[in-house]
Amino acid sequence: MINEVLNKELVEIEATAVKYLTAFTRANIKDVMATYADDGVLMAPGMPASIGKDELLKTYTNVLEAVNFNMNYQIKEVVQTSGYWGFVRSSTDGTEVNKITGITSLTSYQELFLMRKSVDGVWQIARYCTVMISSKVK
Amino acid sequence: MINEVLNKELVEIEATAVKYLTAFTRANIKDVMATYADDGVLMAPGMPASIGKDELLKTYTNVLEAVNFNMNYQIKEVVQTSGYWGFVRSSTDGTEVNKITGITSLTSYQELFLMRKSVDGVWQIARYCTVMISSKVK
């Protein structure tokens, strides 16, 4: 029974990461935002941390207006660290098209999601780090 | 009493991050390695994840042989999420000198440390992400 509960939680923790990664590559800002906690923090290359929903919305709007992403993901690990916390590590790779210059790059990243269960029982992104492994013009 | 225990834990969680950041900028590989758990994972720009002490030692040896870092840190938040887990968010900025080319760059990063208390009661780095904000030749 305990294992079933734990497995259910792990499935839900992973599902939040997958929902985020899928929404991001589809430029679905609404779904991206829905995966974040209100006090969520994004740490991404080339910019200071985006803290809270207002800053997150600005950042994702700017990024997804500037670049077309077409990324595939691999989930590397899913860990529940307490009743209300867990994390997911993943990697992504694919293509990015700069919408202004039209330049296409092959890129790869790794991600660390720190997840927290809300009072409503929904696993949300509390802190999220994405690190660039490589980028080269196609 | 509970608050005192919590505060003590927060102090120790932060101390592990400070020990790491200080050892890194001093190129003290032994102290860097001592802050990691045996299954620790590093996610840093420009390379795949380094998983476990063997890979971590190779990565830090290579990085610190290639570059002289002189970084200052700011601790942004320290959170304990359960009896055995916590995290630290920080930012760093300073100079990097490429030891081969001699080129000096002004760089800034942000960091997310996922910390876990060992069975011996020592807070260690379980997962660590460092994201480059900016880099420009001085």
Side-chain angles (χ1 to χ4, degrees), chain B residues 12-127:
Chain B
E12 290 180 6
I13 292 169
E14 180 170 347
T16 296
V18 168
K19 182 179 175 183
Y20 169 87
L21 292 164
T22 305
F24 180 80
T25 197
R26 290 179 182 164
N28 184 334
I29 292 178
K30 196 182 152 212
D31 279 5
V32 164
M33 293 303 299
T35 59
Y36 271 98
D38 285 346
D39 65 344
V41 178
L42 163 68
M43 306 163 73
M47 59 181 78
S50 302
I51 301 171
K53 289 253 169 154
D54 290 351
E55 289 185 20
L56 288 166
L57 181 57
K58 274 184 208 158
T59 298
Y60 281 105
T61 302
N62 290 341
V63 168
L64 293 172
E65 270 178 5
V67 180
N68 251 330
F69 291 88
N70 187 7
M71 310 299 286
N72 301 301
Y73 65 83
Q74 285 192 312
I75 302 296
K76 298 293 191 181
E77 57 175 340
V78 182
V79 177
Q80 185 176 7
T81 58
S82 74
Y84 290 89
W85 289 87
F87 67 89
V88 177
R89 189 164 60 82
S90 62
S91 67
T92 52
D93 67 274
T95 58
E96 298 179 21
V97 183
N98 182 308
K99 292 188 193 177
I100 295 165
T101 64
I103 292 172
T104 300
S105 300
L106 298 170
T107 57
S108 60
Y109 297 86
Q110 46 199 327
E111 299 86 23
L112 183 64
F113 298 86
L114 194 47
M115 303 293 200
R116 189 181 58 212
K117 199 172 172 178
S118 75
V119 287
D120 302 328
V122 179
W123 285 95
Q124 298 176 316
I125 300 172
R127 304 290 180 273

Side-chain angles (χ1 to χ4, degrees), chain A residues 46-47 77 110 127 132-133, chain B residues 46-47 77 110 127 132:
Chain A
M47 58 181 78
E77 58 176 339
Q110 45 198 328
R127 304 289 180 273
M132 182 176 274
I133 301 175
Chain B
M47 59 181 78
E77 57 175 340
Q110 46 199 327
R127 304 290 180 273
M132 182 176 272

Side-chain angles (χ1 to χ4, degrees), chain A residues 35-108:
Chain A
T35 59
Y36 270 98
D38 285 346
D39 64 344
V41 177
L42 163 68
M43 304 163 75
M47 58 181 78
S50 302
I51 301 171
K53 289 254 169 154
D54 290 351
E55 289 184 21
L56 289 166
L57 180 58
K58 273 184 207 157
T59 298
Y60 281 105
T61 302
N62 290 340
V63 168
L64 293 171
E65 270 179 4
V67 181
N68 251 332
F69 292 88
N70 187 7
M71 310 299 285
N72 300 302
Y73 65 82
Q74 285 192 310
I75 302 295
K76 299 291 191 182
E77 58 176 339
V78 182
V79 178
Q80 186 176 7
T81 57
S82 74
Y84 290 89
W85 289 87
F87 67 88
V88 177
R89 189 164 60 81
S90 62
S91 67
T92 52
D93 66 275
T95 58
E96 299 180 19
V97 183
N98 183 308
K99 292 189 194 177
I100 294 165
T101 64
I103 291 172
T104 300
S105 301
L106 297 170
T107 56
S108 60

